């Protein structure tokens, strides 16, 4: 499986988004992870489609948009128009899951479904055939900089056993150490916010993340 590193812009300097995006590009990031929060699905509010649209104009990397919002179906058009390449939404959201997946694909984006820590991974199984990725949250969604929840590893193993070809993304508390356990469990797409942006050398950190995930 291809290993991909997706820095979360939530940990970046919001006053210098263009420079931060360029930093990710030159540091070897494979995608850009954008955390959208509505203050309802999670107790925090971040950015929306207009900001993502502006960011897309100055960055050539694929945009990996993570919707932590109650009604994703209502906003798929906006995020597709903003330049999202992959749209992840939560199985725990209020929108109809299958309709939301279909809408994402009709809009020309790749569809991905996420589970919060307390949600059984089996809830995504019925939709796997129409998904290109599943995102296993390894912290409670809402904030960057939290500690990795090791108890999520069995979910990743179960998912990988069931779907050998699917992209499996992990998000929350991923650093140069925790990435080893996630990769061993079967994840191949890694979100890293604080690990990349709090590092003195994002390029060295991304290189080490890739190495520790199994790619030289
Ligand atoms: C949390 C977000 C994450 C977060 C990751 O709800 O979905 O993407 O920014 O940040 P770190 O890597 O710092 O845990
Ligand atoms: Zn995220």
């Amino acid at each position: 499986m291809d290993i991909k590193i997706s820095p979360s812009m939530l940990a970046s300097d919001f006053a210098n988004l263009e420079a931060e995006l360029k930093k990710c590009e030159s540091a070897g990031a494979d995608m850009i992870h954008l955390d959208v929060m509505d203050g309802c699905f999670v107790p925090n509010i971040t950015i929306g489609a207009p900001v993502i649209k502006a960011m897309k104009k100055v960055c050539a990397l694929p945009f990996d948009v993570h919707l932590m919002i109650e009604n994703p179906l209502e906003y798929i058009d906006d995020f597709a128009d903003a330049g999202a390449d992959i749209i992840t939404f939560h199985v725990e959201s209020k929108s109809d899951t299958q309709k939301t997946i279909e809408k994402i694909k009709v809009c020309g984006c790749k569809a991905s479904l996420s589970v919060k820590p307390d949600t059984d991974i089996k809830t995504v199984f019925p939709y796997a055939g129409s998904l290109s990725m599943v995102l296993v949250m390894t912290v409670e969604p809402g904030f960057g900089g939290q500690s990795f929840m090791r108890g999520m590893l069995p979910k990743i193993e179960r998912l990988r056993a069931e779907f050998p070809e699917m992209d499996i993304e992990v998000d929350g508390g991923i650093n140069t150490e925790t990435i080893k356990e996630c990769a061993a469990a079967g994840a191949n797409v890694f979100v890293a916010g604080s690990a990349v942006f709090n590092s003195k050398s994002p390029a060295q950190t991304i290189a080490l993340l890739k190495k520790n995930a199994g790619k030289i």
Side-chain angles (χ1 to χ4, degrees):
M1 300 285 309
D2 262 4
I3 288 167
K4 291 182 192 134
I5 306 295
S6 191
S8 164
M9 297 304 291
L10 195 56
S12 74
D13 176 1
F14 276 14
N16 293 290
L17 285 173
E18 182 172 3
E20 296 287 67
L21 289 164
K22 297 259 150 68
K23 192 191 280 181
C24 293
E25 279 182 335
S26 62
D30 300 291
M31 310 198 286
I32 298 292
H33 186 83
L34 297 143
D35 290 299
V36 176
M37 306 184 191
D38 64 356
C40 298
F41 185 77
V42 289
N44 194 8
I45 300 176
T46 56
I47 59 167
V51 176
I52 292 174
K53 191 169 191 168
M55 292 166 84
K56 187 71 181 181
K57 286 186 188 147
V58 296
C59 183
L61 290 174
F63 273 20
D64 166 32
V65 175
H66 179 192
L67 300 179
M68 286 159 276
I69 63 178
E70 289 222 330
N71 296 300
L73 182 54
E74 289 174 31
Y75 296 94
I76 300 305
D77 278 319
D78 289 354
F79 288 101
D81 177 61
D85 295 277
I86 303 169
I87 299 181
T88 299
F89 69 102
H90 275 262
V91 71
E92 306 89 354
S93 75
K94 286 185 178 161
S95 297
D96 180 89
T97 304
Q98 194 61 48
K99 277 189 194 155
T100 308
I101 292 170
E102 295 312 323
K103 178 73 181 171
I104 292 170
K105 290 161 79 172
V106 163
C107 289
C109 302
K110 290 182 177 172
S112 161
L113 193 55
S114 183
V115 285
K116 299 207 288 186
D118 287 342
T119 303
D120 194 321
I121 194 62
K122 283 191 292 221
T123 56
V124 308
F125 289 4
Y127 307 101
S130 39
L131 295 170
S132 37
M133 188 166 82
V134 170
L135 166 52
V136 177
M137 287 305 302
T138 46
V139 296
E140 252 340 302
F143 301 91
Q146 303 182 76
S147 298
F148 175 70
M149 295 170 74
R150 195 155 278 106
M152 300 301 109
L153 291 168
K155 281 187 181 180
I156 303 166
E157 287 165 2
R158 181 77 208 278
L159 196 57
R160 177 54 75 214
E162 205 80 22
F163 306 103
E165 303 299 328
M166 176 183 276
D167 278 337
I168 300 177
E169 184 174 50
V170 283
D171 182 9
I174 304 301
N175 57 38
T176 52
E177 289 307 311
T178 57
I179 197 169
K180 297 176 187 169
E181 298 170 71
C182 293
N188 67 303
V189 182
F190 305 93
V191 177
S194 27
V196 168
F197 286 101
N198 294 348
S199 141
K200 280 192 196 124
S201 167
Q204 279 178 17
T205 299
I206 289 176
L208 189 55
L209 285 166
K210 286 186 183 179
K211 180 170 178 273
N212 289 353
K215 188 178 162 187
I216 307 301

